[in-house]
Amino acid sequence: MTNEDYSFQTRLLHNSHKIDPATGAVSVPIQHASTYHQADIDQFGKYDYSRSLNPTREALEDVIAELEGGVKGFAFASGMAAISTAFLLLSAGDHVVITEDVYGGTFRMVTEVLTRLGIEHTFVDMTNLEEVRQAVRPNTKAFYVETPSNPLLKVTDIRAVSELAKETGALTFVDNTFLTPALQRPLELGADIVLHSATKFLAGHSDVVAGLAVVKDEALAARLGFLQNSFGAVLGVQDAWLVLRGLKTLHVRLLQSQQSAVKIAHFLDAHPLVRNVYYPGLGHHPQHALQKLEAQGPGAVLSFELEDEEALRTFVSHVKIPVFAVSLGAVESILSYPAKMSHAAMPPEDRRKRGISDSLLRLSVGLENPDDLIADFEQAFSYTKAGTTVK
Ligand SMILES: *Cc1c(COP(=O)(O)O)cnc(C)c1O
């Protein structure tokens, strides 16, 4: 049996870095050295300088590549560093077709930085393949997918977009932060590069900022490796170790949180003060069937809309269990307000166009007992006068 024959759950623990070959240690050693003595004047060893390669960071890069089914992984100082470095694969004059309800930081990178470098973009509703097709130009070099999307949890057909990208001669980038390889493996569906904010579910404890990228083939690995070393936004070794530790419990954390998210989504969906619930695990979600086809589960993030901003303010001021914060994918539940947090970088008219209203909340379900969360939400709702919302 090779490691690939084991289930994902087992491979989180039983992988190429389970045991340190030098000592037998069952945790990857943290190698702080920035430089490495070379025994030969003509031939350097595998490691020479830690920006280029460091054994601790390399362990994380190997493990994420194994988990995503790619040839090589790369660890960066943040999710945005991973995403921005991947965008450097493009050159002036190139064009990107990108999902319209993309992470706010990615929106900022594309609209305010790439434009200055002469890289063009078109925002599309990635769930509408006809619209995606029509956005293609002769200079289209990349399709940028984030699925499920943030914060409206729209689901993109990764297989179909990757096929279109191949016909176009373009690369497909997929931000897999929300589902992780535990639930969705974009490379198997045809994507070329998987990107992660490892700050979220992969590390999972709201105690580290990190980014990862995984590529499907060796040629792309060489190009991205060159950019990682040139741009230099690499992940530090302590942080690499924290992500490696978090990864070991990814499967149990995500499955438990997902199970709770399903329960909470149904509770919210039936609640008279909730206008809309956006969660691919609900039968009425427009891409519920597609989500089942391309992912192993709907994940643990959902969004819901209240009647108006006042109802939202009342709810948020009375809710006790979730932290009210940016970010997601942690052991504690996190309630966030996209209009003022993750999507604050997006102009209000763009937000409105995308359906990110001022009464929308996003919930990342953690590991608390879901019944406690539901009771907490119920008491917070009780401060809003019943009857102000008609469903
Ligand atoms: C948080 C996040 C990012 C950015 O990652 P950082 O680690 O904060 O730089 C990118 N994409 C998605 C979907 C995210 O949630």
Side-chain angles (χ1 to χ4, degrees), residues 84-109:
S84 304
T85 305
F87 274 130
L88 293 179
L89 288 163
L90 303 174
S91 303
D94 290 350
H95 173 247
V96 190
V97 177
I98 180 165
T99 187
E100 66 184 0
D101 48 353
V102 73
Y103 176 73
T106 308
F107 177 87
R108 181 169 51 207
M109 178 69 195

mmCIF file with all atom_site columns, all heavy atoms in Angstrom, residues 84-109:
data_model
loop_
_atom_site.group_PDB
_atom_site.id
_atom_site.type_symbol
_atom_site.label_atom_id
_atom_site.label_alt_id
_atom_site.label_comp_id
_atom_site.label_asym_id
_atom_site.label_entity_id
_atom_site.label_seq_id
_atom_site.pdbx_PDB_ins_code
_atom_site.Cartn_x
_atom_site.Cartn_y
_atom_site.Cartn_z
_atom_site.occupancy
_atom_site.B_iso_or_equiv
_atom_site.pdbx_formal_charge
_atom_site.auth_seq_id
_atom_site.auth_comp_id
_atom_site.auth_asym_id
_atom_site.auth_atom_id
_atom_site.pdbx_PDB_model_num
ATOM 1   N N   . SER A 1 84  ? -1.002  36.660 -4.462  1.00 0.00 ? 84  SER A N   1
ATOM 2   C CA  . SER A 1 84  ? -0.289  37.696 -5.208  1.00 0.00 ? 84  SER A CA  1
ATOM 3   C C   . SER A 1 84  ? 0.892   37.106 -5.969  1.00 0.00 ? 84  SER A C   1
ATOM 4   O O   . SER A 1 84  ? 1.165   37.493 -7.111  1.00 0.00 ? 84  SER A O   1
ATOM 5   C CB  . SER A 1 84  ? 0.199   38.791 -4.263  1.00 0.00 ? 84  SER A CB  1
ATOM 6   O OG  . SER A 1 84  ? -0.891  39.321 -3.547  1.00 0.00 ? 84  SER A OG  1
ATOM 7   N N   . THR A 1 85  ? 1.607   36.168 -5.339  1.00 0.00 ? 85  THR A N   1
ATOM 8   C CA  . THR A 1 85  ? 2.747   35.547 -6.021  1.00 0.00 ? 85  THR A CA  1
ATOM 9   C C   . THR A 1 85  ? 2.252   34.731 -7.223  1.00 0.00 ? 85  THR A C   1
ATOM 10  O O   . THR A 1 85  ? 2.871   34.767 -8.295  1.00 0.00 ? 85  THR A O   1
ATOM 11  C CB  . THR A 1 85  ? 3.564   34.674 -5.049  1.00 0.00 ? 85  THR A CB  1
ATOM 12  O OG1 . THR A 1 85  ? 3.951   35.480 -3.932  1.00 0.00 ? 85  THR A OG1 1
ATOM 13  C CG2 . THR A 1 85  ? 4.812   34.117 -5.710  1.00 0.00 ? 85  THR A CG2 1
ATOM 14  N N   . ALA A 1 86  ? 1.137   34.047 -7.059  1.00 0.00 ? 86  ALA A N   1
ATOM 15  C CA  . ALA A 1 86  ? 0.586   33.275 -8.188  1.00 0.00 ? 86  ALA A CA  1
ATOM 16  C C   . ALA A 1 86  ? 0.209   34.209 -9.341  1.00 0.00 ? 86  ALA A C   1
ATOM 17  O O   . ALA A 1 86  ? 0.416   33.884 -10.515 1.00 0.00 ? 86  ALA A O   1
ATOM 18  C CB  . ALA A 1 86  ? -0.617  32.451 -7.734  1.00 0.00 ? 86  ALA A CB  1
ATOM 19  N N   . PHE A 1 87  ? -0.320  35.394 -9.007  1.00 0.00 ? 87  PHE A N   1
ATOM 20  C CA  . PHE A 1 87  ? -0.669  36.356 -10.057 1.00 0.00 ? 87  PHE A CA  1
ATOM 21  C C   . PHE A 1 87  ? 0.566   36.836 -10.825 1.00 0.00 ? 87  PHE A C   1
ATOM 22  O O   . PHE A 1 87  ? 0.466   37.285 -11.967 1.00 0.00 ? 87  PHE A O   1
ATOM 23  C CB  . PHE A 1 87  ? -1.421  37.561 -9.483  1.00 0.00 ? 87  PHE A CB  1
ATOM 24  C CG  . PHE A 1 87  ? -2.914  37.364 -9.368  1.00 0.00 ? 87  PHE A CG  1
ATOM 25  C CD1 . PHE A 1 87  ? -3.574  37.642 -8.181  1.00 0.00 ? 87  PHE A CD1 1
ATOM 26  C CD2 . PHE A 1 87  ? -3.654  36.919 -10.456 1.00 0.00 ? 87  PHE A CD2 1
ATOM 27  C CE1 . PHE A 1 87  ? -4.952  37.472 -8.076  1.00 0.00 ? 87  PHE A CE1 1
ATOM 28  C CE2 . PHE A 1 87  ? -5.039  36.748 -10.362 1.00 0.00 ? 87  PHE A CE2 1
ATOM 29  C CZ  . PHE A 1 87  ? -5.686  37.023 -9.169  1.00 0.00 ? 87  PHE A CZ  1
ATOM 30  N N   . LEU A 1 88  ? 1.733   36.754 -10.181 1.00 0.00 ? 88  LEU A N   1
ATOM 31  C CA  . LEU A 1 88  ? 2.966   37.164 -10.874 1.00 0.00 ? 88  LEU A CA  1
ATOM 32  C C   . LEU A 1 88  ? 3.350   36.195 -12.001 1.00 0.00 ? 88  LEU A C   1
ATOM 33  O O   . LEU A 1 88  ? 4.292   36.459 -12.751 1.00 0.00 ? 88  LEU A O   1
ATOM 34  C CB  . LEU A 1 88  ? 4.124   37.309 -9.880  1.00 0.00 ? 88  LEU A CB  1
ATOM 35  C CG  . LEU A 1 88  ? 3.998   38.444 -8.857  1.00 0.00 ? 88  LEU A CG  1
ATOM 36  C CD1 . LEU A 1 88  ? 5.202   38.448 -7.921  1.00 0.00 ? 88  LEU A CD1 1
ATOM 37  C CD2 . LEU A 1 88  ? 3.866   39.799 -9.549  1.00 0.00 ? 88  LEU A CD2 1
ATOM 38  N N   . LEU A 1 89  ? 2.619   35.095 -12.134 1.00 0.00 ? 89  LEU A N   1
ATOM 39  C CA  . LEU A 1 89  ? 2.796   34.231 -13.308 1.00 0.00 ? 89  LEU A CA  1
ATOM 40  C C   . LEU A 1 89  ? 2.351   34.966 -14.568 1.00 0.00 ? 89  LEU A C   1
ATOM 41  O O   . LEU A 1 89  ? 2.711   34.591 -15.684 1.00 0.00 ? 89  LEU A O   1
ATOM 42  C CB  . LEU A 1 89  ? 1.973   32.937 -13.163 1.00 0.00 ? 89  LEU A CB  1
ATOM 43  C CG  . LEU A 1 89  ? 2.484   31.922 -12.129 1.00 0.00 ? 89  LEU A CG  1
ATOM 44  C CD1 . LEU A 1 89  ? 1.391   30.920 -11.781 1.00 0.00 ? 89  LEU A CD1 1
ATOM 45  C CD2 . LEU A 1 89  ? 3.724   31.194 -12.665 1.00 0.00 ? 89  LEU A CD2 1
ATOM 46  N N   . LEU A 1 90  ? 1.514   36.015 -14.368 1.00 0.00 ? 90  LEU A N   1
ATOM 47  C CA  . LEU A 1 90  ? 1.008   36.785 -15.510 1.00 0.00 ? 90  LEU A CA  1
ATOM 48  C C   . LEU A 1 90  ? 1.953   37.944 -15.823 1.00 0.00 ? 90  LEU A C   1
ATOM 49  O O   . LEU A 1 90  ? 2.763   38.346 -14.994 1.00 0.00 ? 90  LEU A O   1
ATOM 50  C CB  . LEU A 1 90  ? -0.381  37.327 -15.186 1.00 0.00 ? 90  LEU A CB  1
ATOM 51  C CG  . LEU A 1 90  ? -1.420  36.268 -14.797 1.00 0.00 ? 90  LEU A CG  1
ATOM 52  C CD1 . LEU A 1 90  ? -2.717  36.924 -14.354 1.00 0.00 ? 90  LEU A CD1 1
ATOM 53  C CD2 . LEU A 1 90  ? -1.676  35.309 -15.953 1.00 0.00 ? 90  LEU A CD2 1
ATOM 54  N N   . SER A 1 91  ? 1.823   38.458 -17.037 1.00 0.00 ? 91  SER A N   1
ATOM 55  C CA  . SER A 1 91  ? 2.669   39.572 -17.483 1.00 0.00 ? 91  SER A CA  1
ATOM 56  C C   . SER A 1 91  ? 1.792   40.717 -17.975 1.00 0.00 ? 91  SER A C   1
ATOM 57  O O   . SER A 1 91  ? 0.598   40.521 -18.243 1.00 0.00 ? 91  SER A O   1
ATOM 58  C CB  . SER A 1 91  ? 3.563   39.122 -18.639 1.00 0.00 ? 91  SER A CB  1
ATOM 59  O OG  . SER A 1 91  ? 4.331   38.014 -18.249 1.00 0.00 ? 91  SER A OG  1
ATOM 60  N N   . ALA A 1 92  ? 2.411   41.884 -18.128 1.00 0.00 ? 92  ALA A N   1
ATOM 61  C CA  . ALA A 1 92  ? 1.699   43.051 -18.664 1.00 0.00 ? 92  ALA A CA  1
ATOM 62  C C   . ALA A 1 92  ? 1.038   42.660 -19.981 1.00 0.00 ? 92  ALA A C   1
ATOM 63  O O   . ALA A 1 92  ? 1.654   41.989 -20.816 1.00 0.00 ? 92  ALA A O   1
ATOM 64  C CB  . ALA A 1 92  ? 2.675   44.201 -18.875 1.00 0.00 ? 92  ALA A CB  1
ATOM 65  N N   . GLY A 1 93  ? -0.226  43.073 -20.135 1.00 0.00 ? 93  GLY A N   1
ATOM 66  C CA  . GLY A 1 93  ? -0.948  42.753 -21.364 1.00 0.00 ? 93  GLY A CA  1
ATOM 67  C C   . GLY A 1 93  ? -1.826  41.519 -21.239 1.00 0.00 ? 93  GLY A C   1
ATOM 68  O O   . GLY A 1 93  ? -2.685  41.273 -22.081 1.00 0.00 ? 93  GLY A O   1
ATOM 69  N N   . ASP A 1 94  ? -1.630  40.728 -20.182 1.00 0.00 ? 94  ASP A N   1
ATOM 70  C CA  . ASP A 1 94  ? -2.470  39.539 -19.961 1.00 0.00 ? 94  ASP A CA  1
ATOM 71  C C   . ASP A 1 94  ? -3.805  39.939 -19.335 1.00 0.00 ? 94  ASP A C   1
ATOM 72  O O   . ASP A 1 94  ? -3.943  41.013 -18.753 1.00 0.00 ? 94  ASP A O   1
ATOM 73  C CB  . ASP A 1 94  ? -1.766  38.530 -19.049 1.00 0.00 ? 94  ASP A CB  1
ATOM 74  C CG  . ASP A 1 94  ? -0.570  37.852 -19.713 1.00 0.00 ? 94  ASP A CG  1
ATOM 75  O OD1 . ASP A 1 94  ? -0.406  38.032 -20.941 1.00 0.00 ? 94  ASP A OD1 1
ATOM 76  O OD2 . ASP A 1 94  ? 0.183   37.147 -19.013 1.00 0.00 ? 94  ASP A OD2 1
ATOM 77  N N   . HIS A 1 95  ? -4.753  39.017 -19.423 1.00 0.00 ? 95  HIS A N   1
ATOM 78  C CA  . HIS A 1 95  ? -6.112  39.272 -18.940 1.00 0.00 ? 95  HIS A CA  1
ATOM 79  C C   . HIS A 1 95  ? -6.577  38.110 -18.065 1.00 0.00 ? 95  HIS A C   1
ATOM 80  O O   . HIS A 1 95  ? -6.294  36.951 -18.362 1.00 0.00 ? 95  HIS A O   1
ATOM 81  C CB  . HIS A 1 95  ? -7.029  39.430 -20.178 1.00 0.00 ? 95  HIS A CB  1
ATOM 82  C CG  . HIS A 1 95  ? -8.490  39.523 -19.852 1.00 0.00 ? 95  HIS A CG  1
ATOM 83  N ND1 . HIS A 1 95  ? -9.395  38.536 -20.220 1.00 0.00 ? 95  HIS A ND1 1
ATOM 84  C CD2 . HIS A 1 95  ? -9.211  40.479 -19.215 1.00 0.00 ? 95  HIS A CD2 1
ATOM 85  C CE1 . HIS A 1 95  ? -10.617 38.897 -19.824 1.00 0.00 ? 95  HIS A CE1 1
ATOM 86  N NE2 . HIS A 1 95  ? -10.530 40.062 -19.211 1.00 0.00 ? 95  HIS A NE2 1
ATOM 87  N N   . VAL A 1 96  ? -7.255  38.448 -16.966 1.00 0.00 ? 96  VAL A N   1
ATOM 88  C CA  . VAL A 1 96  ? -7.782  37.442 -16.032 1.00 0.00 ? 96  VAL A CA  1
ATOM 89  C C   . VAL A 1 96  ? -9.299  37.508 -16.020 1.00 0.00 ? 96  VAL A C   1
ATOM 90  O O   . VAL A 1 96  ? -9.872  38.592 -15.901 1.00 0.00 ? 96  VAL A O   1
ATOM 91  C CB  . VAL A 1 96  ? -7.321  37.726 -14.578 1.00 0.00 ? 96  VAL A CB  1
ATOM 92  C CG1 . VAL A 1 96  ? -7.671  36.561 -13.663 1.00 0.00 ? 96  VAL A CG1 1
ATOM 93  C CG2 . VAL A 1 96  ? -5.856  38.050 -14.509 1.00 0.00 ? 96  VAL A CG2 1
ATOM 94  N N   . VAL A 1 97  ? -9.940  36.353 -16.106 1.00 0.00 ? 97  VAL A N   1
ATOM 95  C CA  . VAL A 1 97  ? -11.382 36.272 -15.882 1.00 0.00 ? 97  VAL A CA  1
ATOM 96  C C   . VAL A 1 97  ? -11.551 35.824 -14.436 1.00 0.00 ? 97  VAL A C   1
ATOM 97  O O   . VAL A 1 97  ? -11.029 34.776 -14.030 1.00 0.00 ? 97  VAL A O   1
ATOM 98  C CB  . VAL A 1 97  ? -12.048 35.270 -16.848 1.00 0.00 ? 97  VAL A CB  1
ATOM 99  C CG1 . VAL A 1 97  ? -13.538 35.146 -16.537 1.00 0.00 ? 97  VAL A CG1 1
ATOM 100 C CG2 . VAL A 1 97  ? -11.841 35.700 -18.295 1.00 0.00 ? 97  VAL A CG2 1
ATOM 101 N N   . ILE A 1 98  ? -12.240 36.640 -13.650 1.00 0.00 ? 98  ILE A N   1
ATOM 102 C CA  . ILE A 1 98  ? -12.263 36.393 -12.200 1.00 0.00 ? 98  ILE A CA  1
ATOM 103 C C   . ILE A 1 98  ? -13.674 36.460 -11.623 1.00 0.00 ? 98  ILE A C   1
ATOM 104 O O   . ILE A 1 98  ? -14.502 37.239 -12.085 1.00 0.00 ? 98  ILE A O   1
ATOM 105 C CB  . ILE A 1 98  ? -11.300 37.386 -11.478 1.00 0.00 ? 98  ILE A CB  1
ATOM 106 C CG1 . ILE A 1 98  ? -11.294 37.153 -9.958  1.00 0.00 ? 98  ILE A CG1 1
ATOM 107 C CG2 . ILE A 1 98  ? -11.607 38.838 -11.828 1.00 0.00 ? 98  ILE A CG2 1
ATOM 108 C CD1 . ILE A 1 98  ? -10.136 37.831 -9.246  1.00 0.00 ? 98  ILE A CD1 1
ATOM 109 N N   . THR A 1 99  ? -13.903 35.600 -10.664 1.00 0.00 ? 99  THR A N   1
ATOM 110 C CA  . THR A 1 99  ? -15.218 35.514 -10.044 1.00 0.00 ? 99  THR A CA  1
ATOM 111 C C   . THR A 1 99  ? -15.570 36.826 -9.333  1.00 0.00 ? 99  THR A C   1
ATOM 112 O O   . THR A 1 99  ? -14.716 37.445 -8.693  1.00 0.00 ? 99  THR A O   1
ATOM 113 C CB  . THR A 1 99  ? -15.270 34.305 -9.077  1.00 0.00 ? 99  THR A CB  1
ATOM 114 O OG1 . THR A 1 99  ? -16.590 34.132 -8.598  1.00 0.00 ? 99  THR A OG1 1
ATOM 115 C CG2 . THR A 1 99  ? -14.332 34.468 -7.900  1.00 0.00 ? 99  THR A CG2 1
ATOM 116 N N   . GLU A 1 100 ? -16.809 37.289 -9.468  1.00 0.00 ? 100 GLU A N   1
ATOM 117 C CA  . GLU A 1 100 ? -17.150 38.636 -8.986  1.00 0.00 ? 100 GLU A CA  1
ATOM 118 C C   . GLU A 1 100 ? -17.246 38.740 -7.461  1.00 0.00 ? 100 GLU A C   1
ATOM 119 O O   . GLU A 1 100 ? -16.923 39.772 -6.899  1.00 0.00 ? 100 GLU A O   1
ATOM 120 C CB  . GLU A 1 100 ? -18.434 39.149 -9.639  1.00 0.00 ? 100 GLU A CB  1
ATOM 121 C CG  . GLU A 1 100 ? -19.657 38.352 -9.253  1.00 0.00 ? 100 GLU A CG  1
ATOM 122 C CD  . GLU A 1 100 ? -20.917 38.794 -9.984  1.00 0.00 ? 100 GLU A CD  1
ATOM 123 O OE1 . GLU A 1 100 ? -20.835 39.729 -10.791 1.00 0.00 ? 100 GLU A OE1 1
ATOM 124 O OE2 . GLU A 1 100 ? -21.960 38.188 -9.743  1.00 0.00 ? 100 GLU A OE2 1
ATOM 125 N N   . ASP A 1 101 ? -17.674 37.659 -6.800  1.00 0.00 ? 101 ASP A N   1
ATOM 126 C CA  . ASP A 1 101 ? -17.714 37.816 -5.331  1.00 0.00 ? 101 ASP A CA  1
ATOM 127 C C   . ASP A 1 101 ? -16.495 37.133 -4.692  1.00 0.00 ? 101 ASP A C   1
ATOM 128 O O   . ASP A 1 101 ? -16.574 36.245 -3.870  1.00 0.00 ? 101 ASP A O   1
ATOM 129 C CB  . ASP A 1 101 ? -19.045 37.386 -4.691  1.00 0.00 ? 101 ASP A CB  1
ATOM 130 C CG  . ASP A 1 101 ? -19.535 36.044 -5.152  1.00 0.00 ? 101 ASP A CG  1
ATOM 131 O OD1 . ASP A 1 101 ? -18.920 35.496 -6.068  1.00 0.00 ? 101 ASP A OD1 1
ATOM 132 O OD2 . ASP A 1 101 ? -20.522 35.556 -4.577  1.00 0.00 ? 101 ASP A OD2 1
ATOM 133 N N   . VAL A 1 102 ? -15.366 37.645 -5.111  1.00 0.00 ? 102 VAL A N   1
ATOM 134 C CA  . VAL A 1 102 ? -14.076 37.143 -4.663  1.00 0.00 ? 102 VAL A CA  1
ATOM 135 C C   . VAL A 1 102 ? -13.726 37.758 -3.297  1.00 0.00 ? 102 VAL A C   1
ATOM 136 O O   . VAL A 1 102 ? -14.282 38.799 -2.924  1.00 0.00 ? 102 VAL A O   1
ATOM 137 C CB  . VAL A 1 102 ? -13.018 37.498 -5.737  1.00 0.00 ? 102 VAL A CB  1
ATOM 138 C CG1 . VAL A 1 102 ? -12.688 38.976 -5.728  1.00 0.00 ? 102 VAL A CG1 1
ATOM 139 C CG2 . VAL A 1 102 ? -11.771 36.680 -5.615  1.00 0.00 ? 102 VAL A CG2 1
ATOM 140 N N   . TYR A 1 103 ? -12.840 37.119 -2.580  1.00 0.00 ? 103 TYR A N   1
ATOM 141 C CA  . TYR A 1 103 ? -12.335 37.644 -1.296  1.00 0.00 ? 103 TYR A CA  1
ATOM 142 C C   . TYR A 1 103 ? -11.898 39.119 -1.467  1.00 0.00 ? 103 TYR A C   1
ATOM 143 O O   . TYR A 1 103 ? -11.256 39.459 -2.464  1.00 0.00 ? 103 TYR A O   1
ATOM 144 C CB  . TYR A 1 103 ? -11.158 36.776 -0.835  1.00 0.00 ? 103 TYR A CB  1
ATOM 145 C CG  . TYR A 1 103 ? -10.494 37.276 0.413   1.00 0.00 ? 103 TYR A CG  1
ATOM 146 C CD1 . TYR A 1 103 ? -11.119 37.142 1.647   1.00 0.00 ? 103 TYR A CD1 1
ATOM 147 C CD2 . TYR A 1 103 ? -9.250  37.893 0.364   1.00 0.00 ? 103 TYR A CD2 1
ATOM 148 C CE1 . TYR A 1 103 ? -10.516 37.617 2.801   1.00 0.00 ? 103 TYR A CE1 1
ATOM 149 C CE2 . TYR A 1 103 ? -8.644  38.369 1.520   1.00 0.00 ? 103 TYR A CE2 1
ATOM 150 C CZ  . TYR A 1 103 ? -9.289  38.234 2.735   1.00 0.00 ? 103 TYR A CZ  1
ATOM 151 O OH  . TYR A 1 103 ? -8.686  38.706 3.863   1.00 0.00 ? 103 TYR A OH  1
ATOM 152 N N   . GLY A 1 104 ? -12.240 39.960 -0.501  1.00 0.00 ? 104 GLY A N   1
ATOM 153 C CA  . GLY A 1 104 ? -11.976 41.400 -0.599  1.00 0.00 ? 104 GLY A CA  1
ATOM 154 C C   . GLY A 1 104 ? -10.521 41.753 -0.887  1.00 0.00 ? 104 GLY A C   1
ATOM 155 O O   . GLY A 1 104 ? -10.228 42.656 -1.670  1.00 0.00 ? 104 GLY A O   1
ATOM 156 N N   . GLY A 1 105 ? -9.596  41.039 -0.283  1.00 0.00 ? 105 GLY A N   1
ATOM 157 C CA  . GLY A 1 105 ? -8.163  41.309 -0.497  1.00 0.00 ? 105 GLY A CA  1
ATOM 158 C C   . GLY A 1 105 ? -7.737  40.962 -1.918  1.00 0.00 ? 105 GLY A C   1
ATOM 159 O O   . GLY A 1 105 ? -6.887  41.647 -2.513  1.00 0.00 ? 105 GLY A O   1
ATOM 160 N N   . THR A 1 106 ? -8.330  39.916 -2.474  1.00 0.00 ? 106 THR A N   1
ATOM 161 C CA  . THR A 1 106 ? -8.029  39.522 -3.858  1.00 0.00 ? 106 THR A CA  1
ATOM 162 C C   . THR A 1 106 ? -8.600  40.568 -4.813  1.00 0.00 ? 106 THR A C   1
ATOM 163 O O   . THR A 1 106 ? -7.960  40.948 -5.801  1.00 0.00 ? 106 THR A O   1
ATOM 164 C CB  . THR A 1 106 ? -8.617  38.124 -4.156  1.00 0.00 ? 106 THR A CB  1
ATOM 165 O OG1 . THR A 1 106 ? -8.178  37.232 -3.133  1.00 0.00 ? 106 THR A OG1 1
ATOM 166 C CG2 . THR A 1 106 ? -8.177  37.608 -5.515  1.00 0.00 ? 106 THR A CG2 1
ATOM 167 N N   . PHE A 1 107 ? -9.799  41.054 -4.483  1.00 0.00 ? 107 PHE A N   1
ATOM 168 C CA  . PHE A 1 107 ? -10.428 42.128 -5.265  1.00 0.00 ? 107 PHE A CA  1
ATOM 169 C C   . PHE A 1 107 ? -9.500  43.352 -5.303  1.00 0.00 ? 107 PHE A C   1
ATOM 170 O O   . PHE A 1 107 ? -9.231  43.928 -6.363  1.00 0.00 ? 107 PHE A O   1
ATOM 171 C CB  . PHE A 1 107 ? -11.781 42.492 -4.623  1.00 0.00 ? 107 PHE A CB  1
ATOM 172 C CG  . PHE A 1 107 ? -12.492 43.637 -5.297  1.00 0.00 ? 107 PHE A CG  1
ATOM 173 C CD1 . PHE A 1 107 ? -13.336 43.419 -6.377  1.00 0.00 ? 107 PHE A CD1 1
ATOM 174 C CD2 . PHE A 1 107 ? -12.317 44.952 -4.847  1.00 0.00 ? 107 PHE A CD2 1
ATOM 175 C CE1 . PHE A 1 107 ? -13.989 44.476 -7.001  1.00 0.00 ? 107 PHE A CE1 1
ATOM 176 C CE2 . PHE A 1 107 ? -12.960 46.009 -5.468  1.00 0.00 ? 107 PHE A CE2 1
ATOM 177 C CZ  . PHE A 1 107 ? -13.798 45.771 -6.548  1.00 0.00 ? 107 PHE A CZ  1
ATOM 178 N N   . ARG A 1 108 ? -8.964  43.703 -4.143  1.00 0.00 ? 108 ARG A N   1
ATOM 179 C CA  . ARG A 1 108 ? -8.077  44.865 -4.055  1.00 0.00 ? 108 ARG A CA  1
ATOM 180 C C   . ARG A 1 108 ? -6.799  44.652 -4.872  1.00 0.00 ? 108 ARG A C   1
ATOM 181 O O   . ARG A 1 108 ? -6.339  45.534 -5.590  1.00 0.00 ? 108 ARG A O   1
ATOM 182 C CB  . ARG A 1 108 ? -7.738  45.098 -2.575  1.00 0.00 ? 108 ARG A CB  1
ATOM 183 C CG  . ARG A 1 108 ? -6.844  46.274 -2.301  1.00 0.00 ? 108 ARG A CG  1
ATOM 184 C CD  . ARG A 1 108 ? -6.798  46.564 -0.800  1.00 0.00 ? 108 ARG A CD  1
ATOM 185 N NE  . ARG A 1 108 ? -6.486  45.361 -0.045  1.00 0.00 ? 108 ARG A NE  1
ATOM 186 C CZ  . ARG A 1 108 ? -6.860  45.143 1.217   1.00 0.00 ? 108 ARG A CZ  1
ATOM 187 N NH1 . ARG A 1 108 ? -7.560  46.023 1.871   1.00 0.00 ? 108 ARG A NH1 1
ATOM 188 N NH2 . ARG A 1 108 ? -6.534  44.029 1.823   1.00 0.00 ? 108 ARG A NH2 1
ATOM 189 N N   . MET A 1 109 ? -6.232  43.449 -4.774  1.00 0.00 ? 109 MET A N   1
ATOM 190 C CA  . MET A 1 109 ? -5.002  43.121 -5.513  1.00 0.00 ? 109 MET A CA  1
ATOM 191 C C   . MET A 1 109 ? -5.222  43.263 -7.020  1.00 0.00 ? 109 MET A C   1
ATOM 192 O O   . MET A 1 109 ? -4.423  43.870 -7.741  1.00 0.00 ? 109 MET A O   1
ATOM 193 C CB  . MET A 1 109 ? -4.592  41.678 -5.156  1.00 0.00 ? 109 MET A CB  1
ATOM 194 C CG  . MET A 1 109 ? -3.366  41.183 -5.866  1.00 0.00 ? 109 MET A CG  1
ATOM 195 S SD  . MET A 1 109 ? -1.897  42.064 -5.283  1.00 0.00 ? 109 MET A SD  1
ATOM 196 C CE  . MET A 1 109 ? -0.737  41.625 -6.572  1.00 0.00 ? 109 MET A CE  1
#
